[in-house]
Amino acid sequence: MYQIVEKKTISENTKMMKIKAPLIAKKAKPGQFIILRIDEKGERIPLTIADQDKKKGTITIIFLEIGRTTKKLGSLNTGDTIKNVAGPLGIPSDIKKYGNVICIGGGVGIAPLYPIIKALKEKNNYIISILGAKNKKLLILEKEIKKISDELHITTDDGSKGHHGFVSDILQQILNKKQKKIDLVMAIGPVIMMKVISNITKKHGIKTLVSLNPIMIDGTGMCGGCRVIINGKTKFACVDGPEFDGHQVDYDNLILRNQRFIQQEKEACKHHNITTTT
Amino acid sequence: MKNIKKNKHKMPEQPPKQRIKNFNEVPLGYDKKTAIAEAKRCLQCKNKPCIKGCPVEIDIPGFIKQIAQGNFGKAAEIIKNKNNIPAISGRVCPYENQCEGRCTLKKIGEPVAIGRLERFIADYEHKKGKKTPKKAAPTGKKIAVVGSGPAGLTCAGDLAKMGHQVTIFEALHAPGGVLMYGIPEFRLPKKIVETEVEYIKKLGVEIKYDIIVGQTITVEELQQQYDAVFIGTGAGLPRWLNIPGENLDGVYSANEFLTRVNMMKAYKFPEYDTPIKIGETVATFGAGNVAMDCARTALRLGAKKSYIIYRRTEKEMPARQEEIQHALEEGIIFKLLMTPKRFIGDEKGRLKQVECIKMKLGEPDSSGRRKPIPIPNSEEKINIDTAIIAIGQNPNPLIPKTMKKLKTGEKGNIITDENGKTSIPGLYAGGDIATGAATVILAMGAGKKAAKAIDKYVKTKK
Ligand SMILES: Cc1cc2nc3c(=O)[nH]c(=O)nc-3n(C[C@H](O)[C@H](O)[C@H](O)COP(=O)(O)OP(=O)(O)OC[C@H]3O[C@@H](n4cnc5c(N)ncnc54)[C@H](O)[C@@H]3O)c2cc1C
Ligand SMILES: Cc1cc2nc3c(=O)[nH]c(=O)nc-3n(C[C@H](O)[C@H](O)[C@H](O)COP(=O)(O)OP(=O)(O)OC[C@H]3O[C@@H](n4cnc5c(N)ncnc54)[C@H](O)[C@@H]3O)c2cc1C
Ligand code: SF4
Ligand code: SF4
Ligand code: FES
């Protein structure tokens, strides 16, 4: 049993939780994730470790309530327990001095991006952050990321804050200006966002890393449910990733595989009287 | 030979039409009378050939004699001497090739039903409530076991009996390894696995879940905290066909399919949260126990047609005879001498068809089985909604990958001596991680041998 020691609503439909999990807190590195199962009947879902406190033995997760499991999770409160939390899983981000790095986060993808930016900053990289959300209310971690970025750009789909449009617009502008040599682009967000960004950076020949979010079960490389196609080869995101070279990812296959259970997911929500937002 | 019934006593089973609608166990077990009658078929051979066929060397004539005399408790004791989990081996052991394969009675008919008798005794004990066996005085030694499959559970149980303090570290949220996530409920009820695990816990073994050794904690860290470490992480890495279309929506690895259904209980969706989707026609590729389990599970989930597609003939199938028989009775359609070339999807990327090519058998290959050769221009397209790839698993690479000094073989298996000793002092391994995908009883045997070696090591450092 893993206790929730703190819970906050950080934007519409987005919740933050601190969970007591000392072993994971001790080991977690930026880019890694956990798999949790709320109760005996629950499914196993992956969530990124957004932060950790080694002394208190807690990890932070930030999640968007979109379906059965994330909504059930969001309904829990401080003091409640989660039956299983396993991790840290996946290969940590390769944190080193690259030079000038553009970090792009879309939606709840900003959460997993945050610890990576923090670590990259500690290695003295020049950080240009571009954060995007559907609207102002859904924008998360703006303050925190502003503090550790050298430049910060905001975009919203509806124009309620910052640039009216997509993160890729800003990226395009920056690259067109050619004021700085960009050494790395790090992008986490909806698959389609990562696809568009990778297409842009490929033209400019800029190394790009993305963090993939396929459907997972065990997280130990046993089931192959999380397989993604990288450079024509099958890889398991849970043990070979979740970060991959953005220019080598077969995004269309990932989009397709993430919709495998859409019908069932709707059915589950109906069965449990949950209203869906997606 | 005297007047002996040529065939085994039949074991009652759920009729095929009924059982494909539920997940309950198929064979129902002997009653007392039948068990005694079957035990009386045993000739009590002086040279005991059956024992040589059992990887854990159970005193087979010994326990059968006790059954024949109605001493079921005594029979249980004899089995337990060598085998901690007879309720499991009595159900899933490939006994036809092992103990029963060597039985003298085969000369005149069918062997003694050793597996069924073992199961009878184990179930009898379960009903009575198992006694916790005597333990040796505490030795003060601490041992870590990684993985709670049959290898890990057996090793832990034996070490606990020897008086050591044992902790099992398991990556998943449930114990049992393949027994829990792989082998379906209708072949091995999960209740039985749970009872066996309870028994191991009663011996004082502690099980910690959600710990992925190599990630949550490293083997080196375990070695610092414990006097010895045993690795029983199994062969969990699924193999692929490596043909076009294998990542379409609708193609599962056997592991994903079975894990969703067994461990996550997707057959009870939406009461349980994990979904599964199968459609009307399912094709399973491969012909081992895993493939039979998948094809039969698909039927129970409501598939109208469930195929087994295999490139050789029924004779070469690696699955247990009984499983093939059960599959046939349930209406699984065997498409033999056929191999898939590519999966074909619709415009949305959902699996629609598989293109197969027909095969013929040529000369025997290195494994002694006749090698299948494709027949040119014999391609055929079969309409399917779901494909399950069940062509084998490789050893789990997670731990070997994190330990450069650990010696591994070509397939990523950890190399050990016959007692489970690895290339690193104080580190032992056994089961599928060392041998590649094998059997429950071999994994248990390996766990037992390693327990003995570890006992010696922690006492003498040799
Ligand atoms: C490595 C990794 C890190 C992630 N980190 C975060 C994070 O920090 N914050 C966050 O909000 N989300 C994160 N996700 C996505 C998160 O796992 C899904 O949103 C969640 O599983 C949805 O479950 P649900 O039952 O609420 O919704 P559902 O209605 O079941 O599904 C909604 C969508 O989530 C996807 N999904 C469903 N089940 C799974 C599953 N078992 N594994 C992966 N995806 C699934 C489906 O593709 C579907 O489109 C991450 C995913 C991965 C693989
Ligand atoms: C579907 C199926 C049907 C089968 N049918 C039969 C049959 O009828 N008869 C038969 O004899 N055999 C059968 N087998 C084979 C048999 O189940 C295996 O040979 C046996 O389970 C191997 O035991 P093991 O203990 O070595 O490994 P496993 O049973 O694989 O257990 C390994 C355990 O280690 C855990 N683990 C892995 N990595 C880590 C890590 N890094 N940290 C912590 N824990 C970890 C896993 O989660 C798992 O619980 C079948 C196998 C399958 C898949
Ligand atoms: S453990 Fe297996 S091989 Fe040994 S006697 Fe029992 S069924 Fe036969
Ligand atoms: S070989 Fe067969 S008949 Fe002979 S002792 Fe063993 S079980 Fe009995
Ligand atoms: S989640 Fe099962 S292999 Fe990655």
Side-chain angles (χ1 to χ4, degrees), chain A residues 2 27 37 41 43-44 68 72 84-85 87-88 90 222-223 225 227 229 234 253 256-257 260-261 264 272, chain B residues 173 210 215-216 221 236 238 240 246-247 249 251 253 255-256 260 269-275 277 348:
Chain A
Y2 301 79
K27 282 283 157 69
R37 188 180 71 135
K41 293 182 177 172
E43 72 181 323
R44 295 169 64 96
R68 162 74 176 147
K72 189 154 77 170
N84 301 98
V85 180
M222 178 270 279
C223 76
R227 63 194 189 274
I229 307 176
T234 294
N253 185 257
L256 170 90
R257 288 188 56 80
R260 288 194 289 155
F261 299 105
Q264 284 75 6
H272 294 286
Chain B
H173 61 254
D210 306 327
Q215 299 272 70
T216 319
E221 284 168 310
W240 301 102
E246 209 164 13
N247 292 316
D249 174 7
V251 185
S253 76
N255 278 359
E256 180 184 359
R260 282 182 180 275
F269 179 87
E271 184 201 340
Y272 281 73
D273 292 338
T274 303
K277 184 174 77 176
K348 288 201 171 137

Short mmCIF file of all heavy atoms in Angstrom, two decimals, chain A residues 2 27 37 41 43-44 68 72 84-85 87-88 90 222-223 225 227 229 234 253 256-257 260-261 264 272, chain B residues 173 210 215-216 221 236 238 240 246-247 249 251 253 255-256 260 269-275 277 348:
data_model
loop_
_atom_site.label_atom_id
_atom_site.label_comp_id
_atom_site.label_asym_id
_atom_site.label_seq_id
_atom_site.Cartn_x
_atom_site.Cartn_y
_atom_site.Cartn_z
N TYR A 2 0.46 2.21 -0.79
CA TYR A 2 1.24 3.43 -0.93
C TYR A 2 0.33 4.60 -0.61
O TYR A 2 -0.73 4.76 -1.23
CB TYR A 2 1.80 3.53 -2.34
CG TYR A 2 2.69 2.34 -2.69
CD1 TYR A 2 2.13 1.12 -3.07
CD2 TYR A 2 4.08 2.44 -2.60
CE1 TYR A 2 2.94 0.03 -3.36
CE2 TYR A 2 4.89 1.36 -2.90
CZ TYR A 2 4.30 0.15 -3.28
OH TYR A 2 5.10 -0.92 -3.56
N LYS A 27 15.62 6.21 -6.06
CA LYS A 27 16.26 5.82 -7.32
C LYS A 27 15.86 6.66 -8.53
O LYS A 27 16.55 6.64 -9.54
CB LYS A 27 15.89 4.36 -7.63
CG LYS A 27 16.67 3.34 -6.84
CD LYS A 27 18.07 3.18 -7.41
CE LYS A 27 19.03 2.63 -6.39
NZ LYS A 27 18.75 1.24 -6.07
N ARG A 37 -1.46 0.66 -9.77
CA ARG A 37 -2.76 -0.02 -9.82
C ARG A 37 -3.49 0.41 -8.57
O ARG A 37 -3.01 0.20 -7.45
CB ARG A 37 -2.56 -1.54 -9.84
CG ARG A 37 -3.84 -2.33 -10.08
CD ARG A 37 -3.58 -3.83 -10.09
NE ARG A 37 -3.28 -4.30 -8.75
CZ ARG A 37 -3.80 -5.41 -8.21
NH1 ARG A 37 -4.61 -6.17 -8.90
NH2 ARG A 37 -3.49 -5.76 -6.97
N LYS A 41 -9.23 -4.43 -8.41
CA LYS A 41 -9.84 -4.58 -9.74
C LYS A 41 -9.26 -3.62 -10.76
O LYS A 41 -9.68 -3.59 -11.91
CB LYS A 41 -11.35 -4.37 -9.63
CG LYS A 41 -12.01 -5.47 -8.83
CD LYS A 41 -13.50 -5.32 -8.75
CE LYS A 41 -14.08 -6.51 -7.99
NZ LYS A 41 -15.49 -6.36 -7.70
N GLU A 43 -6.71 -1.37 -13.33
CA GLU A 43 -5.74 -1.69 -14.37
C GLU A 43 -4.42 -1.03 -14.01
O GLU A 43 -4.36 -0.18 -13.13
CB GLU A 43 -6.24 -1.26 -15.76
CG GLU A 43 -6.24 0.22 -16.02
CD GLU A 43 -6.78 0.61 -17.40
OE1 GLU A 43 -6.54 -0.11 -18.38
OE2 GLU A 43 -7.45 1.64 -17.49
N ARG A 44 -3.37 -1.45 -14.67
CA ARG A 44 -2.05 -0.87 -14.40
C ARG A 44 -1.85 0.26 -15.40
O ARG A 44 -1.95 0.06 -16.59
CB ARG A 44 -0.97 -1.94 -14.58
CG ARG A 44 -1.06 -3.08 -13.57
CD ARG A 44 -0.13 -4.23 -13.95
NE ARG A 44 1.27 -3.86 -13.92
CZ ARG A 44 2.08 -4.10 -12.89
NH1 ARG A 44 1.64 -4.72 -11.81
NH2 ARG A 44 3.36 -3.74 -12.94
N ARG A 68 -11.35 6.05 -17.16
CA ARG A 68 -11.74 5.33 -15.97
C ARG A 68 -10.68 5.43 -14.86
O ARG A 68 -10.97 5.83 -13.74
CB ARG A 68 -11.99 3.86 -16.34
CG ARG A 68 -11.98 2.89 -15.19
CD ARG A 68 -13.24 3.00 -14.37
NE ARG A 68 -13.27 2.01 -13.30
CZ ARG A 68 -13.83 2.22 -12.12
NH1 ARG A 68 -14.39 3.38 -11.85
NH2 ARG A 68 -13.84 1.26 -11.22
N LYS A 72 -10.67 7.76 -11.45
CA LYS A 72 -10.74 7.10 -10.15
C LYS A 72 -9.59 7.59 -9.27
O LYS A 72 -9.77 7.89 -8.10
CB LYS A 72 -10.67 5.57 -10.35
CG LYS A 72 -10.95 4.76 -9.11
CD LYS A 72 -11.49 3.36 -9.42
CE LYS A 72 -10.44 2.39 -9.88
NZ LYS A 72 -10.89 0.99 -9.98
N ASN A 84 -0.80 -0.56 -5.59
CA ASN A 84 0.52 -0.88 -6.12
C ASN A 84 1.15 0.30 -6.84
O ASN A 84 0.49 0.98 -7.62
CB ASN A 84 0.43 -2.03 -7.14
CG ASN A 84 -0.15 -3.28 -6.52
OD1 ASN A 84 -1.33 -3.55 -6.67
ND2 ASN A 84 0.65 -4.01 -5.79
N VAL A 85 2.41 0.53 -6.56
CA VAL A 85 3.19 1.52 -7.30
C VAL A 85 4.55 0.88 -7.56
O VAL A 85 5.28 0.55 -6.63
CB VAL A 85 3.38 2.83 -6.50
CG1 VAL A 85 4.19 3.83 -7.32
CG2 VAL A 85 2.03 3.44 -6.12
N GLY A 87 8.29 0.98 -9.69
CA GLY A 87 9.19 1.82 -10.45
C GLY A 87 10.52 1.97 -9.74
O GLY A 87 10.76 1.27 -8.76
N PRO A 88 11.39 2.85 -10.16
CA PRO A 88 11.24 3.66 -11.37
C PRO A 88 11.48 2.81 -12.61
O PRO A 88 12.38 1.98 -12.62
CB PRO A 88 12.33 4.71 -11.21
CG PRO A 88 13.38 4.06 -10.37
CD PRO A 88 12.68 3.09 -9.48
N GLY A 90 11.86 2.39 -16.99
CA GLY A 90 12.39 3.05 -18.17
C GLY A 90 13.81 3.54 -17.98
O GLY A 90 14.35 3.54 -16.87
N MET A 222 7.84 -7.67 -20.51
CA MET A 222 7.32 -9.03 -20.60
C MET A 222 6.17 -9.17 -21.60
O MET A 222 6.04 -10.20 -22.25
CB MET A 222 6.89 -9.45 -19.19
CG MET A 222 6.27 -10.81 -19.06
SD MET A 222 4.49 -10.78 -19.27
CE MET A 222 3.95 -10.27 -17.66
N CYS A 223 5.32 -8.13 -21.74
CA CYS A 223 4.09 -8.33 -22.52
C CYS A 223 4.19 -7.85 -23.97
O CYS A 223 3.47 -8.33 -24.83
CB CYS A 223 2.91 -7.67 -21.83
SG CYS A 223 2.86 -5.88 -22.00
N GLY A 225 3.11 -5.20 -25.11
CA GLY A 225 1.97 -4.35 -25.46
C GLY A 225 2.42 -2.93 -25.79
O GLY A 225 1.76 -2.23 -26.55
N ARG A 227 4.91 -1.95 -27.51
CA ARG A 227 5.90 -1.87 -28.59
C ARG A 227 5.66 -0.69 -29.52
O ARG A 227 4.53 -0.32 -29.82
CB ARG A 227 5.97 -3.18 -29.36
CG ARG A 227 4.73 -3.61 -30.10
CD ARG A 227 4.91 -5.08 -30.50
NE ARG A 227 3.87 -5.56 -31.40
CZ ARG A 227 2.70 -6.04 -30.98
NH1 ARG A 227 2.42 -6.05 -29.69
NH2 ARG A 227 1.82 -6.50 -31.84
N ILE A 229 7.55 1.36 -33.10
CA ILE A 229 8.47 1.10 -34.20
C ILE A 229 9.47 2.25 -34.29
O ILE A 229 9.08 3.41 -34.46
CB ILE A 229 7.73 0.93 -35.53
CG1 ILE A 229 6.63 -0.14 -35.38
CG2 ILE A 229 8.69 0.53 -36.65
CD1 ILE A 229 5.77 -0.31 -36.61
N THR A 234 11.12 -3.05 -34.00
CA THR A 234 10.21 -3.06 -32.86
C THR A 234 10.99 -2.88 -31.56
O THR A 234 11.96 -3.59 -31.31
CB THR A 234 9.45 -4.40 -32.83
OG1 THR A 234 8.61 -4.46 -33.98
CG2 THR A 234 8.59 -4.51 -31.57
N ASN A 253 1.83 4.63 -36.35
CA ASN A 253 1.58 3.35 -35.70
C ASN A 253 1.26 3.54 -34.21
O ASN A 253 0.40 2.86 -33.65
CB ASN A 253 2.78 2.42 -35.88
CG ASN A 253 2.52 1.03 -35.32
OD1 ASN A 253 2.99 0.68 -34.25
ND2 ASN A 253 1.71 0.25 -36.03
N LEU A 256 -2.25 4.78 -33.79
CA LEU A 256 -3.14 3.65 -34.03
C LEU A 256 -3.19 2.70 -32.82
O LEU A 256 -4.26 2.32 -32.35
CB LEU A 256 -2.59 2.90 -35.25
CG LEU A 256 -3.18 1.56 -35.57
CD1 LEU A 256 -4.34 1.81 -36.50
CD2 LEU A 256 -2.16 0.67 -36.24
N ARG A 257 -2.02 2.35 -32.30
CA ARG A 257 -1.98 1.37 -31.21
C ARG A 257 -2.56 1.96 -29.92
O ARG A 257 -3.06 1.23 -29.08
CB ARG A 257 -0.57 0.85 -31.00
CG ARG A 257 -0.11 -0.09 -32.13
CD ARG A 257 1.22 -0.77 -31.85
NE ARG A 257 1.22 -1.52 -30.60
CZ ARG A 257 0.71 -2.73 -30.45
NH1 ARG A 257 0.15 -3.34 -31.47
NH2 ARG A 257 0.76 -3.32 -29.27
N ARG A 260 -6.36 1.29 -29.49
CA ARG A 260 -6.79 -0.11 -29.57
C ARG A 260 -8.04 -0.41 -28.75
O ARG A 260 -8.85 -1.22 -29.11
CB ARG A 260 -5.65 -1.03 -29.09
CG ARG A 260 -4.51 -1.11 -30.06
CD ARG A 260 -3.61 -2.27 -29.73
NE ARG A 260 -2.84 -2.06 -28.51
CZ ARG A 260 -2.37 -3.04 -27.76
NH1 ARG A 260 -2.60 -4.28 -28.07
NH2 ARG A 260 -1.64 -2.77 -26.70
N PHE A 261 -8.17 0.25 -27.60
CA PHE A 261 -9.25 -0.13 -26.69
C PHE A 261 -10.27 0.98 -26.49
O PHE A 261 -11.00 1.01 -25.50
CB PHE A 261 -8.67 -0.59 -25.34
CG PHE A 261 -7.78 -1.78 -25.48
CD1 PHE A 261 -6.40 -1.64 -25.39
CD2 PHE A 261 -8.30 -3.04 -25.74
CE1 PHE A 261 -5.57 -2.74 -25.54
CE2 PHE A 261 -7.48 -4.14 -25.89
CZ PHE A 261 -6.11 -4.00 -25.80
N GLN A 264 -13.73 -0.15 -25.63
CA GLN A 264 -13.80 -0.72 -24.28
C GLN A 264 -13.70 0.37 -23.22
O GLN A 264 -14.33 0.30 -22.17
CB GLN A 264 -12.68 -1.74 -24.07
CG GLN A 264 -12.90 -3.08 -24.75
CD GLN A 264 -12.67 -3.05 -26.26
OE1 GLN A 264 -12.24 -2.06 -26.83
NE2 GLN A 264 -13.01 -4.14 -26.91
N HIS A 272 -19.34 2.46 -15.15
CA HIS A 272 -19.08 3.05 -13.84
C HIS A 272 -19.68 4.44 -13.71
O HIS A 272 -19.31 5.19 -12.80
CB HIS A 272 -17.58 3.09 -13.57
CG HIS A 272 -16.96 1.74 -13.46
ND1 HIS A 272 -17.12 0.92 -12.37
CD2 HIS A 272 -16.20 1.03 -14.33
CE1 HIS A 272 -16.47 -0.22 -12.56
NE2 HIS A 272 -15.90 -0.18 -13.74
N HIS B 173 2.43 -7.29 -9.24
CA HIS B 173 1.67 -7.12 -8.01
C HIS B 173 1.15 -8.45 -7.47
O HIS B 173 0.44 -8.48 -6.48
CB HIS B 173 0.52 -6.14 -8.22
CG HIS B 173 -0.47 -6.58 -9.26
ND1 HIS B 173 -0.53 -6.02 -10.51
CD2 HIS B 173 -1.40 -7.55 -9.26
CE1 HIS B 173 -1.46 -6.62 -11.22
NE2 HIS B 173 -2.01 -7.56 -10.48
N ASP B 210 5.99 -5.25 -6.40
CA ASP B 210 6.29 -3.96 -7.05
C ASP B 210 7.78 -3.62 -7.03
O ASP B 210 8.15 -2.46 -7.11
CB ASP B 210 5.53 -2.79 -6.37
CG ASP B 210 4.04 -3.03 -6.29
OD1 ASP B 210 3.50 -3.66 -7.20
OD2 ASP B 210 3.42 -2.59 -5.30
N GLN B 215 16.04 -2.14 -11.28
CA GLN B 215 15.52 -0.76 -11.38
C GLN B 215 15.25 -0.19 -9.99
O GLN B 215 15.84 0.78 -9.59
CB GLN B 215 14.21 -0.73 -12.19
CG GLN B 215 14.34 -1.21 -13.61
CD GLN B 215 14.71 -0.09 -14.57
OE1 GLN B 215 15.82 0.42 -14.56
NE2 GLN B 215 13.80 0.29 -15.44
N THR B 216 14.32 -0.84 -9.25
CA THR B 216 13.98 -0.35 -7.91
C THR B 216 15.17 -0.55 -6.96
O THR B 216 15.45 0.28 -6.09
CB THR B 216 12.77 -1.12 -7.34
OG1 THR B 216 11.81 -1.28 -8.37
CG2 THR B 216 12.15 -0.37 -6.18
N GLU B 221 23.09 -4.25 -4.69
CA GLU B 221 22.56 -3.77 -3.40
C GLU B 221 21.99 -4.94 -2.59
O GLU B 221 22.18 -5.00 -1.38
CB GLU B 221 21.48 -2.70 -3.61
CG GLU B 221 22.05 -1.35 -4.01
CD GLU B 221 20.97 -0.39 -4.50
OE1 GLU B 221 20.16 -0.77 -5.37
OE2 GLU B 221 20.95 0.75 -4.02
N GLY B 236 10.55 -14.17 -19.83
CA GLY B 236 9.36 -13.35 -20.10
C GLY B 236 9.40 -12.58 -21.40
O GLY B 236 8.45 -11.89 -21.74
N PRO B 238 8.88 -11.88 -25.04
CA PRO B 238 8.19 -12.54 -26.16
C PRO B 238 8.98 -12.50 -27.46
O PRO B 238 9.65 -11.52 -27.76
CB PRO B 238 6.89 -11.73 -26.30
CG PRO B 238 7.11 -10.46 -25.58
CD PRO B 238 8.20 -10.67 -24.59
N TRP B 240 8.96 -12.63 -31.67
CA TRP B 240 8.06 -12.16 -32.74
C TRP B 240 8.31 -12.94 -34.02
O TRP B 240 9.36 -13.54 -34.21
CB TRP B 240 8.29 -10.66 -33.00
CG TRP B 240 8.05 -9.84 -31.78
CD1 TRP B 240 8.99 -9.32 -30.95
CD2 TRP B 240 6.79 -9.49 -31.21
NE1 TRP B 240 8.39 -8.65 -29.91
CE2 TRP B 240 7.04 -8.74 -30.05
CE3 TRP B 240 5.46 -9.72 -31.57
CZ2 TRP B 240 6.02 -8.22 -29.24
CZ3 TRP B 240 4.45 -9.22 -30.77
CH2 TRP B 240 4.73 -8.47 -29.62
N GLU B 246 3.00 -6.79 -38.08
CA GLU B 246 2.94 -7.37 -36.74
C GLU B 246 2.55 -6.35 -35.67
O GLU B 246 2.18 -6.72 -34.57
CB GLU B 246 4.28 -8.02 -36.40
CG GLU B 246 4.15 -9.17 -35.45
CD GLU B 246 5.40 -10.04 -35.42
OE1 GLU B 246 6.45 -9.62 -35.95
OE2 GLU B 246 5.32 -11.15 -34.87
N ASN B 247 2.61 -5.05 -36.00
CA ASN B 247 2.23 -4.04 -35.02
C ASN B 247 0.85 -3.44 -35.28
O ASN B 247 0.48 -2.43 -34.69
CB ASN B 247 3.29 -2.94 -34.96
CG ASN B 247 4.59 -3.47 -34.39
OD1 ASN B 247 4.58 -4.19 -33.39
ND2 ASN B 247 5.69 -3.17 -35.02
N ASP B 249 -3.22 -3.00 -35.07
CA ASP B 249 -4.20 -3.15 -33.99
C ASP B 249 -4.86 -4.52 -34.17
O ASP B 249 -5.46 -4.79 -35.21
CB ASP B 249 -5.22 -2.02 -34.12
CG ASP B 249 -6.37 -2.16 -33.14
OD1 ASP B 249 -6.31 -3.05 -32.28
OD2 ASP B 249 -7.33 -1.37 -33.24
N VAL B 251 -3.03 -7.43 -33.19
CA VAL B 251 -1.97 -8.44 -33.03
C VAL B 251 -1.42 -8.35 -31.61
O VAL B 251 -0.94 -7.30 -31.18
CB VAL B 251 -0.82 -8.23 -34.05
CG1 VAL B 251 0.19 -9.36 -33.93
CG2 VAL B 251 -1.37 -8.12 -35.47
N SER B 253 1.05 -10.25 -28.48
CA SER B 253 1.95 -11.34 -28.07
C SER B 253 1.12 -12.23 -27.15
O SER B 253 0.16 -11.76 -26.52
CB SER B 253 3.16 -10.79 -27.31
OG SER B 253 2.78 -10.42 -26.00
N ASN B 255 1.96 -13.28 -24.36
CA ASN B 255 2.10 -12.74 -23.01
C ASN B 255 1.11 -11.61 -22.74
O ASN B 255 0.51 -11.55 -21.67
CB ASN B 255 3.51 -12.22 -22.78
CG ASN B 255 4.48 -13.32 -22.41
OD1 ASN B 255 4.10 -14.48 -22.30
ND2 ASN B 255 5.74 -12.96 -22.24
N GLU B 256 0.97 -10.69 -23.70
CA GLU B 256 0.04 -9.60 -23.46
C GLU B 256 -1.39 -10.14 -23.35
O GLU B 256 -2.14 -9.79 -22.43
CB GLU B 256 0.09 -8.54 -24.58
CG GLU B 256 -0.92 -7.41 -24.28
CD GLU B 256 -1.04 -6.33 -25.34
OE1 GLU B 256 -0.34 -6.39 -26.36
OE2 GLU B 256 -1.87 -5.42 -25.13
N ARG B 260 -3.40 -9.93 -19.78
CA ARG B 260 -4.65 -9.19 -19.67
C ARG B 260 -5.77 -10.08 -19.11
O ARG B 260 -6.49 -9.69 -18.20
CB ARG B 260 -5.09 -8.65 -21.04
CG ARG B 260 -4.34 -7.44 -21.49
CD ARG B 260 -4.81 -6.91 -22.83
NE ARG B 260 -4.02 -5.74 -23.19
CZ ARG B 260 -4.30 -4.49 -22.78
NH1 ARG B 260 -5.36 -4.25 -22.06
NH2 ARG B 260 -3.52 -3.50 -23.10
N PHE B 269 -14.08 -7.91 -17.41
CA PHE B 269 -14.30 -6.51 -17.79
C PHE B 269 -15.79 -6.30 -18.09
O PHE B 269 -16.39 -7.19 -18.69
CB PHE B 269 -13.46 -6.21 -19.04
CG PHE B 269 -13.59 -4.82 -19.57
CD1 PHE B 269 -12.79 -3.80 -19.08
CD2 PHE B 269 -14.52 -4.53 -20.56
CE1 PHE B 269 -12.91 -2.51 -19.57
CE2 PHE B 269 -14.65 -3.23 -21.04
CZ PHE B 269 -13.84 -2.24 -20.55
N PRO B 270 -16.42 -5.20 -17.72
CA PRO B 270 -15.86 -4.00 -17.10
C PRO B 270 -15.87 -3.99 -15.56
O PRO B 270 -15.53 -2.97 -14.99
CB PRO B 270 -16.79 -2.91 -17.63
CG PRO B 270 -18.11 -3.58 -17.82
CD PRO B 270 -17.82 -5.00 -18.15
N GLU B 271 -16.21 -5.12 -14.92
CA GLU B 271 -16.11 -5.13 -13.46
C GLU B 271 -14.65 -4.89 -13.07
O GLU B 271 -14.34 -4.13 -12.16
CB GLU B 271 -16.61 -6.48 -12.91
CG GLU B 271 -16.64 -6.55 -11.41
CD GLU B 271 -16.62 -7.98 -10.90
OE1 GLU B 271 -16.96 -8.90 -11.66
OE2 GLU B 271 -16.23 -8.17 -9.73
N TYR B 272 -13.74 -5.58 -13.77
CA TYR B 272 -12.31 -5.29 -13.65
C TYR B 272 -11.96 -4.30 -14.74
O TYR B 272 -12.58 -4.30 -15.81
CB TYR B 272 -11.49 -6.57 -13.78
CG TYR B 272 -11.49 -7.39 -12.50
CD1 TYR B 272 -12.62 -8.09 -12.09
CD2 TYR B 272 -10.35 -7.43 -11.70
CE1 TYR B 272 -12.62 -8.81 -10.91
CE2 TYR B 272 -10.34 -8.16 -10.52
CZ TYR B 272 -11.48 -8.85 -10.12
OH TYR B 272 -11.47 -9.55 -8.95
N ASP B 273 -10.96 -3.44 -14.48
CA ASP B 273 -10.74 -2.30 -15.38
C ASP B 273 -9.94 -2.60 -16.65
O ASP B 273 -9.91 -1.79 -17.56
CB ASP B 273 -10.03 -1.17 -14.61
CG ASP B 273 -10.93 -0.56 -13.55
OD1 ASP B 273 -12.16 -0.70 -13.67
OD2 ASP B 273 -10.41 0.04 -12.59
N THR B 274 -9.26 -3.74 -16.72
CA THR B 274 -8.39 -3.99 -17.87
C THR B 274 -9.17 -4.59 -19.03
O THR B 274 -9.82 -5.62 -18.86
CB THR B 274 -7.24 -4.93 -17.46
OG1 THR B 274 -6.54 -4.34 -16.38
CG2 THR B 274 -6.27 -5.16 -18.62
N PRO B 275 -9.12 -3.95 -20.20
CA PRO B 275 -9.90 -4.45 -21.34
C PRO B 275 -9.16 -5.48 -22.19
O PRO B 275 -7.94 -5.62 -22.10
CB PRO B 275 -10.12 -3.19 -22.17
CG PRO B 275 -8.94 -2.33 -21.89
CD PRO B 275 -8.46 -2.67 -20.51
N LYS B 277 -9.82 -7.23 -26.40
CA LYS B 277 -10.69 -7.14 -27.58
C LYS B 277 -10.30 -8.30 -28.48
O LYS B 277 -9.13 -8.50 -28.74
CB LYS B 277 -10.40 -5.80 -28.26
CG LYS B 277 -11.27 -5.48 -29.43
CD LYS B 277 -10.98 -4.07 -29.92
CE LYS B 277 -9.71 -3.99 -30.72
NZ LYS B 277 -9.44 -2.68 -31.31
N LYS B 348 -7.78 1.74 -41.51
CA LYS B 348 -7.54 2.30 -40.17
C LYS B 348 -6.45 1.55 -39.41
O LYS B 348 -6.22 1.80 -38.22
CB LYS B 348 -8.84 2.26 -39.35
CG LYS B 348 -9.83 3.29 -39.84
CD LYS B 348 -10.84 3.59 -38.76
CE LYS B 348 -11.70 4.77 -39.12
NZ LYS B 348 -13.11 4.52 -38.78
#
